[in-house]
Amino acid sequence: MKHVRHFTPSLFLSLVHICLVQANYAPYFFDNGARSTNGNMALLSLSEDTPVGTHVYTLNGTDPEGDPVTYGLTYEAGSRRYFSVDKSLGNVTLIEELDREKEDEIEVIVSISDGLSTVSEKVRILVMDANDESPEFINTPYIVQVPENTPSSSSIFKVEAIDKDTGSGGSITYFLQNIHANKFTIDRHSGVLRIKPGVTLDYEKSRTHFVVVIAKDGGGKLRGDNKVFSATTTVTINVEDVQDTPPMFIGTPYYGYVYEDTLAGSEVLTVVALDGDRGKPNSIHYCIVNGSEGSFEISNTTGAISVIKSPNQLKKEVYELKIKASEVSQEGDISEHTFAMVTIRVVDLNNHPPTFYGENGPQNRFELTMYEHPPEGEILRGLKITVSDSDQGANAKFNLRLVGPGGIFRVVPQTVLNEAQVTIIVENSAAIDYESFKVLTFKLLAIEVNTPEKFSSTADVVIRLLDTNDNVPKFSSDYYIARIPENSPGGSNVVAVTATDPDSGLWGEIKYSIYGTGADLFLIHPSTGIIYTQPWAVLDAEVNSKYNFYVKAEDTEGKYSLAEVFITVLDVNDHSPEFNENIQEKTMIIGSPVKIEAIDQDAEEPNNIVDYSIMQADPANVFDIDQSTGEIKLKSYIRSLDIIHNITNNKDCIWSLVVQAKDRGSPSFSTTAVLKIDITEETLHKGPMAAFLMQTKDNPMKALGVLAGVMGIMVLITIMISTAMFWRNKRSNKVMPVRRIIKKRQMPPSRTVRMEWLKFKRPSNAAEKFVVEEDVKSLHNENSNNNVQVVPVPPAAPLPPPPPALAPRGDAPGWRVPTVSGSLTPKHIIKPPKKKGHSSTHNALVSELKMRFEKRNAAYGEPHI
């Protein structure tokens, strides 16, 4: 019965627990509507320019039983993770940058859990547009072919740009750059490019137009600011030539001659006509309209006029032929035409050479003044030259040729019968250069072709060129390198740059200027190009030894070129070596050097290289100094304090040196410092133990006895503590919990307290000066001759004692003697364990005793010095 009563409450509690578990209700989210900032994240919308890291929503829900709930965010496989959630607080943070143009809806599965039940919902977050896209022209480049006869106001092309934004940020309007300077307009909404009303295109005047189109969006918000983006493109409009210009004859007026010995069918002269439309010229068809009287004919294709009768059948002395030149299209249609008159004389003797005529009669020198670089194909209209041969027929046929620099001009016509107007045409515009030739001189030669006499004549053609600004100033070098001493006064010349412009007059005048971040300390003379320092400039190689900037050479029309200038400030020996203190105190351990250091602030060698020397020492011939490093050490024969005591009666062993630091510059600078050196022998530790060892170094057995007694007492205490713990555990008949042991060990006794009973009374002899109390904050390695390391954990094995360090000098005036013990481990540092400390102390004691025995043997075996 007792067993039943004992079992019943337990069974009841189990049944209640099962009922509670079965009655657990799932948690749920709050649905706070579309504009809420907390709930189930449904109908949430975010602008695509929302910064990453922004807290964008707070998931909020509850559990019917009041249990704490946690929140979660998951994504479908392959979806990008845009949000993270704080599981406890429900704070949703944006972790990935949004881009509506790539993804305008984000599906997220939000979940809420009370630990037993989890409810998940799929929600969609709408990404709202921000004006973060610029318009972009499509199907570029834009190249348009427009016939020159296209009517004004005609549409010739349509540009199209797209903007991925929506709303005003995605709407685009079009504009033209320099609308007043070109011949086109654009519809700001459709992008249709038109010819301006009242404007026509002319292939002969301008064959290509470049129109810059700007596409600008309607603007919109981006990260709180209203932004408007735009893009530009260039439309190249090529004007196509249309047959709207009639042909024209070249070399008019035409003169021909028929001699008495001319055979029927011989060529008298050739007329030449060209289509005025240069883009797509039509072929020319020639015919004689009237004046031939059946005596002459012309080639329809070449324009060559031939006599078809023998000279004795010609009834007239002069024939006036009217020649018609018509354009023939590719389809064979004859359209535009022009007329020319040809005068043919009948001559029977070859008694006249070709002769050149000017406006006032025969002339053998023709001069012309023109600007350099005329367009190729241009006719030198300023030259009025006519050539004529008074003979008839073949005797009046001659060739024309220019003799002089080749490839620059050509003469038309090349073959003349009787008489012709001479035309000189530009072939190579680049060669007509004022900087190369100020005067071009040619010989115009006319020589008969088919006559035995080969009569000829010449005329000088002198062309004087006028200069244009066709050259850019050019520096003699792309860069200039200069050096200037740092002690140069303000206004000192640094370097002269030189640029030349071969153009003449004002176009060849050059103005110099400098700019760049490195040019602040310099000026340049605008006409001479001399670069000099500012009047207030102070150069310092130690602060900045390199300057770099640009120099510009510009002519009067703004044409310019650049060169780079590199200036190096040369170091001058203007600093003396400096010690950190003029009077220094050092402690020297026999066998270890001390170091003194001076710093020279000059920037370059050898000005900043310091050599050290001992100027004065008291006593002399005791110390050596390393010239380069400044390390000071004792002479090699000084190996112990005993030798030092034999040199001087000063038992404190504090000596003074005057050390000079001198640089290697020219002139050289030097400075001196007084160094006071305290000489000691190396010791192991400071404190009571070191004092005890020094006190008992003459009686080593006493030291061994004391150390053995200390170790015995420590072993006895350990045994007593172990025995007490054993009997306590035995009486309790159980093991003490770990946490109780930890509590008892929270406040371990200080090692310093445990060692209080080991302290000895400080002796009054010389060992006292090795015990110096120092604060750990004041320890420093002044002489760089020790290697003191403050570590809380002792080394695993005994190590040799570290070299000593000097104690810092206080603010109180006077002479203070730092000692070896002043730089050893401070009192508050944790001491090594007893066993290892004993081993280290034992080794040090044995070494000390061994040294004492060796000294005694040496004293008995050798005479005392």
Side-chain angles (χ1 to χ4, degrees), residues 167-187:
S168 63
S171 64
I172 297 177
T173 54
Y174 302 92
F175 304 91
L176 290 185
Q177 214 177 54
N178 300 326
I179 183 65
H180 301 292
N182 58 54
K183 297 185 177 183
F184 306 93
T185 61
I186 193 169
D187 188 285

Side-chain angles (χ1 to χ4, degrees), residues 30 207 224 272 404 790 843:
F30 295 130
R207 301 182 183 184
V272 179
V790 180
N843 291 339

Side-chain angles (χ1 to χ4, degrees), residues 107 131 151 169 199 254 286 297 500 520 545 604 812:
E107 289 189 352
N131 190 25
V199 174
Y254 292 113
Y286 301 91
E297 65 178 6
T500 57
D520 296 337
S545 62
E604 298 177 0

Side-chain angles (χ1 to χ4, degrees), residues 241 243 275 277 279-284 326-335:
D241 191 21
Q243 294 297 327
D275 188 354
D277 300 304
K280 297 179 180 178
N282 288 329
S283 58
I284 304 299
S326 304
E327 294 183 18
V328 180
S329 64
Q330 295 181 355
E331 293 78 14
D333 300 329
I334 296 177
S335 55

Side-chain angles (χ1 to χ4, degrees), residues 311-536:
N312 56 5
Q313 293 177 334
L314 300 178
K315 298 179 180 180
K316 297 172 64 176
E317 184 178 351
V318 178
Y319 289 86
E320 298 285 344
L321 306 182
K322 185 177 183 180
I323 308 299
K324 178 181 179 181
S326 304
E327 294 183 18
V328 180
S329 64
Q330 295 181 355
E331 293 78 14
D333 300 329
I334 296 177
S335 55
E336 300 288 341
H337 60 271
T338 188
F339 297 97
M341 297 301 296
V342 176
T343 301
I344 299 177
R345 296 179 180 274
V346 180
V347 180
D348 57 350
L349 296 176
N350 183 25
N351 55 358
H352 297 90
T355 305
F356 292 98
Y357 296 87
E359 294 180 340
N360 300 319
Q363 188 174 333
N364 60 4
R365 182 180 176 87
F366 299 88
E367 296 184 2
L368 173 66
T369 300
M370 60 181 291
Y371 284 101
E372 63 179 340
H373 305 303
E376 292 183 1
E378 182 173 308
I379 298 173
L380 304 187
R381 302 186 185 278
L383 292 175
K384 305 294 185 181
I385 304 175
T386 302
V387 62
S388 176
D389 190 331
S390 300
D391 294 325
Q392 296 182 0
N395 294 330
K397 186 177 182 179
F398 54 92
N399 290 335
L400 288 177
R401 187 173 61 183
L402 275 178
V403 180
I408 300 178
F409 299 98
R410 63 185 176 92
V411 62
V412 175
Q414 293 183 350
T415 301
V416 179
L417 186 60
N418 295 117
E419 188 175 2
Q421 184 77 27
V422 178
T423 301
I424 298 178
I425 301 174
V426 176
E427 273 199 328
N428 186 355
S429 175
I432 307 174
D433 187 9
Y434 176 84
E435 286 71 33
S436 301
F437 308 97
K438 293 180 175 55
V439 178
L440 292 172
T441 303
F442 297 87
K443 288 285 188 182
L444 184 59
L445 175 64
I447 182 170
E448 293 179 353
V449 179
N450 297 321
T451 63
E453 297 84 2
K454 297 292 182 181
F455 291 143
S456 65
S457 63
T458 60
D460 293 328
V461 179
V462 179
I463 300 175
R464 304 183 186 278
L465 298 180
L466 299 177
D467 192 22
T468 61
N469 190 20
D470 61 330
N471 290 282
V472 176
K474 185 176 181 181
F475 282 97
S476 59
S477 176
D478 292 334
Y479 58 89
Y480 295 87
I481 299 175
R483 297 174 177 84
I484 181 171
E486 65 176 345
N487 60 352
S488 299
S492 298
N493 291 345
V494 180
V495 66
V497 299
T498 304
T500 57
D501 190 334
D503 294 320
S504 62
L506 295 176
W507 291 326
E509 292 183 3
I510 298 174
K511 180 181 179 181
Y512 298 93
S513 59
I514 59 176
Y515 67 97
T517 57
D520 296 337
L521 299 182
F522 302 91
L523 296 172
I524 189 170
H525 194 281
S527 58
T528 64
I530 297 176
I531 298 174
Y532 56 96
T533 59
Q534 295 270 11
W536 47 263

